[in-house]
Amino acid sequence: MRRSACYFPIVPNKIGEIKAVGHLSPRTRARTRIVLEIDRPGDGDAAKLEEHIAGAARQISEAWGTTYPLLVDMPEYGPDHRATNGSTLIEHPHVCLRQLGMLAVPVAGPVSAGGPEILETVRDIARHERRGAALRIPFLELSHVDILQRELTSSMRILAHEPAEIDLLLDLEAVLHIPEHQRSTAHLTAVVHEALALVRQIGEFRNVILCGSSVPENVGKQYNGAPYRGRRIELDVWRTLLPDAIMPVSFSDNGITPSRGPDPRGFGPAPARIRLSTPDEIVFYRANQKRYVDLCKRALSSTDFDDRIPAWGATKLRECARGHIAPSSPTEWVARDTNLHIETTVAEVQRRLHATGRIRDYRFPEEEKFAWLQHNFLEDEQV
């Protein structure tokens, strides 16, 4: 798994996002390792939470398959969340995924994020599965080198794995929550450069991955006319540091949804939405729900849409604009937009790696062979 992927999209266990993964092209799948983020629905009892986790495992197994590894993160679960047999619920998805033949890698936060118990659990899972582990460092720890050194040292000691067995995720988190004077590309690039210098002193990690999300938590009715436009700040930072980075750094983001923020699907009738990702911006088109077809036409005729990128999500937008398929549901819209986002982002990441010569740092696996535009994972009528 060492540098066998350049993009690590964070995928919540929602039907729309998982369906998007199920329709990725073979080329993109070979360059991508998803980070499945399993949520905790309320305060259900152990049996209900086990069922919820098992359902997420089944869905992602149908979408992702058993060829490539995936990372599994459970940020809402702590040591007190127990299964019916008394084990921690953090272990449960790995039991399920192992039975399904999947190649799961457990993710932990640093000691400050969840205490030593979570790291100990992830250590034990990693020893059993023999695929290493991942460590996800939040922005507060990342942005202060003295704190980062303390957290990395203590976390690595508990994980008891060599750096070469660890995927290290440096997470800018919700970039729009960072104070404005610290949110510039130049400032955040300097922060990451300093963090990478420390990381190099500790050892050579299996993968070092820069994460972040510039997706706003809400795009309101004021954007029913002109679309919302926002810089992809985390991608700007990655591109800026890439040529002079002292080690290979892969990219990660949260797709078209905010970083651990409120679910943009919300409650009640959802507006029509199309979310396009260009190499520089996230562009959110919005209208009354009944205007989805018109919204497709607007988005497809704009310069924000790159018709050179082959993607299932783009195909569905075209078919809807031409009246060949029904608009369907908000869950389906999320699937189309997320799929197109991942395909677009992989293309941009690979382009930048080639332009800077850093593509030599990667060794992508052989692509699978299947008719991906005809793949039928979770078809519309099942949503």
Side-chain angles (χ1 to χ4, degrees):
M1 187 174 164
R2 181 177 176 81
R3 291 202 291 274
S4 60
C6 56
Y7 180 43
F8 291 71
I10 298 168
V11 178
N13 60 299
K14 303 288 185 184
I15 292 176
E17 284 86 344
I18 291 178
K19 179 171 182 177
V21 168
H23 285 291
L24 291 174
S25 66
R27 184 176 180 81
T28 290
R29 284 171 57 84
R31 288 152 177 74
T32 297
R33 297 296 172 267
I34 64 170
V35 183
L36 177 66
E37 200 170 75
I38 301 179
D39 67 346
R40 181 167 57 87
D43 294 315
D45 60 25
K48 289 181 179 177
L49 290 173
E50 283 182 12
E51 183 179 353
H52 175 73
I53 292 168
R58 284 193 300 271
Q59 289 185 338
I60 201 64
S61 71
E62 293 179 38
W64 186 245
T66 58
T67 301
Y68 305 124
L70 76 161
L71 280 60
V72 179
D73 195 4
M74 303 181 71
E76 298 178 18
Y77 292 79
D80 296 333
H81 296 114
R82 296 279 166 174
T84 52
N85 65 1
S87 64
T88 66
L89 280 168
I90 291 172
E91 299 174 61
H92 193 59
H94 296 276
V95 173
C96 300
L97 293 168
R98 186 186 315 129
Q99 293 171 348
L100 293 164
M102 298 193 73
L103 308 175
V105 175
V107 180
V111 176
S112 60
E117 296 89 351
I118 300 296
L119 284 154
E120 290 165 358
T121 300
V122 166
R123 175 198 64 203
D124 295 343
I125 294 169
R127 284 175 173 172
H128 185 273
E129 302 294 340
R130 303 178 68 84
R131 279 186 290 275
L135 181 61
R136 187 172 175 181
I137 305 295
F139 181 66
L140 176 62
E141 288 79 357
L142 166 64
S143 58
H144 296 83
V145 71
D146 52 338
I147 299 176
L148 178 61
Q149 182 171 25
R150 184 185 69 227
E151 293 297 329
L152 274 179
T153 301
S154 58
S155 298
M156 293 294 291
R157 183 173 60 249
I158 296 170
L159 283 174
H161 280 66
E162 293 298 319
E165 302 172 287
I166 302 291
D167 302 314
L168 182 64
L169 293 91
L170 304 176
D171 196 353
L172 300 176
E173 301 182 275
V175 177
L176 298 184
H177 287 182
I178 298 173
E180 192 169 356
H181 69 283
Q182 298 177 349
R183 201 188 301 162
S184 70
T185 296
H187 178 82
L188 291 176
T189 301
V191 167
V192 177
H193 265 303
E194 191 172 14
L196 291 176
L198 175 60
V199 167
R200 185 169 66 173
Q201 294 175 20
I202 292 174
E204 191 172 352
F205 285 80
R206 180 166 63 185
N207 292 285
V208 176
I209 305 145
L210 178 66
C211 312
S213 173
S214 297
V215 176
E217 291 182 359
N218 184 54
V219 175
K221 293 180 180 179
Q222 67 269 34
Y223 295 104
N224 278 9
Y228 169 85
R229 295 181 178 278
R231 294 289 302 178
R232 298 181 69 179
I233 300 171
E234 64 284 349
L235 187 53
D236 278 345
V237 173
W238 179 80
R239 280 188 300 231
T240 303
L241 68 86
L242 187 63
D244 302 318
I246 57 178
M247 63 186 67
V249 181
S250 298
F251 181 66
S252 171
D253 63 21
N254 289 73
I256 62 167
T257 56
S259 174
R260 299 183 189 176
D263 192 324
R265 279 151 278 213
F267 301 95
R273 296 187 182 101
I274 293 176
R275 290 138 290 208
L276 298 181
S277 302
T278 76
D280 299 313
E281 294 181 313
I282 47 173
V283 187
F284 285 10
Y285 290 80
R286 189 186 191 282
N288 180 281
Q289 190 175 78
K290 296 180 180 179
R291 303 293 302 275
Y292 182 75
V293 173
D294 292 337
L295 214 57
C296 285
K297 294 175 181 177
R298 278 182 58 198
L300 292 173
S301 64
S302 73
T303 56
D304 305 315
F305 180 75
D306 188 347
D307 60 6
R308 298 169 298 175
I309 294 178
W312 171 84
T315 297
K316 291 300 175 184
L317 290 177
R318 291 189 191 96
E319 290 177 349
C320 189
R322 295 165 185 167
H324 296 164
I325 61 171
S328 194
S329 67
T331 297
E332 179 72 8
W333 305 342
V334 168
R336 297 167 185 173
D337 297 348
T338 301
N339 177 270
L340 184 52
H341 170 88
I342 295 175
E343 297 280 1
T344 301
T345 302
V346 165
E348 171 61 12
V349 167
Q350 185 163 292
R351 187 182 72 82
R352 296 301 301 180
L353 289 172
H354 276 291
T356 57
R358 303 308 295 253
I359 196 71
R360 294 188 294 269
D361 297 327
Y362 294 84
R363 196 169 194 175
F364 302 125
E366 185 177 349
E367 296 175 19
E368 300 163 291
K369 293 179 172 60
F370 59 88
W372 59 279
L373 282 177
Q374 288 76 46
H375 188 44
N376 289 321
F377 175 72
L378 287 180
E379 277 308 322
D380 298 5
E381 59 269 22
Q382 295 177 298
V383 173

